[in-house]
Amino acid sequence: MSSNHEGYPTSLGVSTVDTISLMGRDLSADLIGKVDFGDLAYQLITLREPTAGQAAMFNAVLVALADHGFTPTAIAARLTWLSAPDAIQGALAAGLLGGGSRFLGVSEDTGTFLADALAVVDGQVPTDDIGWDALATSAIQQRRKAGGFVPGLGHHLHKNGDPRVARLLALAQEHGTYGPHLALFAAMGRVAPDVLGKRLPLNGAGACGAVLADLDVPLPMLRGVVLLARCAGLLGQLAEEMRTPIASRIFTQVEAAAEYLPIDHDGPTQA
């Protein structure tokens, strides 16, 4: 390298006239046809090859989060495609941009909440359910005392329990990736009704955040993994919109139901 300029270091992709390498391996000879996309995504994020268990759970999270029906993000993508069918990237981006504290961001919020609670014990994690329940109770109480929202609890639809949670917990046990984040998350589900005075079941997005944290995915990357999964779901939504359009009906119904609300400069206008 010439001494009169600085290089731009990367451990990811590097190309020459004749070759393409990725993470130090030949893309064509060593990766294409030999590594599935989920494994590759994990490696790109962590720069480590996943164990069999880590690969299985990372892929399980991608499947669990790919699609959840007509969510706001799916509707946003479909409506954007209705407006600009010549630019699918805009429709896809519209859906991804909706990932926040209510939809798609819960996994990151839960993972961070769990990690913060575990940081308090400084590696001295509980050894039984009684200890985990006590830690979960303390974490929830402190968050509520501070006026904050406890992520990973409750679901707008699955009031009787999110069907993804039990499956992810069982898979993590099966694949040997059930770590402290999932243990604390499970404890949250046990103690939350008593601590909060109401039943808020664990949700799948929170479970996915706990799984990813136990897979050593960096916390700032958790929402990115969720968006990676939802990207596939949004592509499915857009493909279906092309086959069986509904966005025009949504637009027409909302437009037809619009009601003008007179402006009251003296105070709030009552409907």
Side-chain angles (χ1 to χ4, degrees):
M1 182 179 297
S2 174
S3 60
N4 61 358
H5 70 276
E6 295 183 0
Y8 298 94
T10 179
S11 297
L12 303 178
V14 178
S15 300
T16 69
V17 173
D18 301 312
T19 65
I20 304 173
S21 66
L22 187 58
M23 295 176 290
R25 288 173 287 177
D26 186 281
L27 179 66
S28 299
D30 301 328
L31 297 175
I32 295 178
K34 298 180 179 180
V35 177
D36 69 39
F37 183 69
D39 289 8
L40 180 64
Y42 182 88
Q43 292 181 53
L44 288 170
I45 295 169
T46 66
L47 297 182
R48 300 188 309 271
E49 288 192 35
T51 64
Q54 289 173 331
M57 291 310 300
F58 191 83
N59 279 281
V61 166
L62 295 180
V63 173
L65 295 173
D67 185 75
H68 209 281
F70 289 132
T71 59
T73 58
I75 295 171
R78 286 178 180 250
L79 287 172
T80 303
W81 188 81
L82 173 68
S83 180
D86 53 319
I88 193 173
Q89 71 273 18
L92 187 61
L96 295 177
L97 288 172
S101 59
R102 293 185 177 179
F103 291 89
L104 304 183
V106 177
S107 296
E108 177 188 15
D109 296 341
T110 304
T112 301
F113 174 77
L114 296 170
D116 289 344
L118 289 167
V120 173
V121 300
D122 194 24
Q124 302 300 311
V125 298
T127 57
D128 55 28
D129 284 351
I130 294 176
W132 284 114
D133 289 358
L135 181 58
T137 298
S138 175
I140 293 173
Q141 288 176 336
Q142 290 184 33
R143 176 59 64 92
R144 290 303 297 269
K145 183 178 180 180
F149 174 73
V150 181
L153 294 174
H155 195 281
H156 74 284
L157 178 62
H158 303 305
K159 303 300 184 182
N160 297 320
D162 191 319
R164 296 171 293 179
V165 174
R167 179 59 175 160
L168 288 168
L169 292 176
L171 278 175
Q173 292 276 14
E174 177 184 334
H175 290 291
T177 65
Y178 191 99
H181 298 87
L182 274 173
L184 181 55
F185 183 70
M188 286 173 53
R190 293 192 296 268
V191 306
D194 290 334
V195 179
L196 300 177
K198 57 183 176 179
R199 185 173 184 271
L200 289 175
L202 298 171
N203 58 53
C208 288
V211 168
L212 292 172
D214 277 342
L215 297 182
D216 295 326
V217 174
L219 295 178
M221 289 287 102
L222 296 191
R223 190 175 304 191
V225 175
V226 176
L227 294 176
L228 173 65
R230 189 51 60 92
C231 185
L234 291 173
L235 285 174
Q237 291 281 338
L238 291 170
E240 184 172 78
E241 182 64 26
M242 295 174 191
R243 296 191 302 266
T244 313
I246 65 164
S248 60
R249 286 163 49 197
I250 295 174
F251 165 57
T252 300
Q253 289 171 5
V254 172
E255 183 182 46
E259 297 180 358
Y260 174 70
L261 183 66
I263 299 173
D264 183 354
H265 294 289
D266 296 324
T269 300
Q270 298 296 320

